[in-house]
Amino acid sequence: MQPQLVMFTVVGVSFTEPAVAFDIVVPRDDSTLFTGYLGVLPAVTGMSDFSGENDHAGVSRIVHLSDGGSFREEIVRYERPGDTDAVGHFDYDVTAFTGILSRIVSEGTARWTYAPGSTGRTHITWTYGYRPLAGRTFILTHLIGPLWMRYMRRSMGTILRAIVDERPTEGTEAAHG
């Protein structure tokens, strides 16, 4: 029997509509968002082996890490929020870990939700689950988990700043919308 996923969740609030937040974050270069943590958790350094545009289920790519490791991501759900009341989803499964992670986990899953909040706001929920290898649940939960949560919180802050920096101004939005 496989160990259950060990889940971690962070939530951030963006002061923009769900579609705008989604359009800024989802297509971004991951190396600008996931920059590692304390030299223990590796940064994303690049991607390769794209199977297509990162805008629909079934697309995959290899993500490369600063420690020389890598993993494969495959999008399992891509639903861009179409209007201000819609919820967006960007979900992917993670497999084929190499490097240090390959000795701790067998697979992972990420679920991103872009849900409307009060007027003009978006609640971004990022849930990440790792399936530990047999006998590694304690290491994942109690040693890596607290660091991973800090890393997720810091990355969410980076994401929220990117949305502020890149959101269209009202004049630009009116010209494009």
Side-chain angles (χ1 to χ4, degrees):
M1 183 174 172
Q2 284 188 326
Q4 288 195 337
L5 287 169
V6 176
M7 305 299 286
F8 305 95
T9 300
V10 295
V11 177
V13 177
S14 164
F15 294 91
T16 189
E17 306 284 334
V20 173
F22 187 95
D23 289 347
I24 290 170
V25 176
V26 172
R28 280 184 74 85
D29 175 353
D30 284 352
S31 66
T32 67
L33 300 174
F34 307 109
T35 57
Y37 190 72
L38 297 176
V40 177
L41 298 176
V44 171
T45 58
M47 275 77 58
S48 65
D49 298 332
F50 293 87
S51 66
E53 291 297 317
N54 208 28
D55 64 358
H56 61 279
V59 173
S60 65
R61 64 186 180 179
I62 303 297
V63 176
H64 300 278
L65 303 173
S66 60
D67 67 354
S70 64
F71 54 84
R72 181 180 180 273
E73 284 182 351
E74 181 176 344
I75 298 174
V76 296
R77 186 176 183 191
Y78 183 99
E79 296 173 0
R80 182 186 177 277
D83 60 44
T84 57
D85 294 332
V87 176
H89 300 276
F90 181 67
D91 304 342
Y92 51 90
D93 290 340
V94 184
T95 57
F97 286 97
T98 68
I100 189 94
L101 286 173
S102 69
R103 295 188 283 272
I104 301 166
V105 300
S106 62
E107 62 185 336
T109 186
R111 303 294 182 250
W112 291 82
T113 302
Y114 295 78
S118 57
T119 304
R121 291 188 172 101
T122 301
H123 292 263
I124 302 172
T125 304
W126 176 23
T127 300
Y128 203 101
Y130 286 109
R131 187 172 314 281
L133 294 170
R136 304 291 195 282
T137 301
F138 181 87
I139 292 169
L140 182 59
T141 303
H142 298 289
L143 300 178
I144 295 171
L147 291 173
W148 181 249
M149 283 299 298
R150 288 186 199 121
Y151 176 68
M152 288 178 72
R153 282 189 209 101
R154 190 180 79 183
S155 295
M156 181 63 77
T158 301
I159 287 164
L160 295 174
R161 281 189 300 282
I163 293 168
V164 168
D165 292 346
E166 297 176 28
R167 67 183 169 201
T169 61
E170 286 188 36
T172 305
E173 198 170 294
H176 290 75

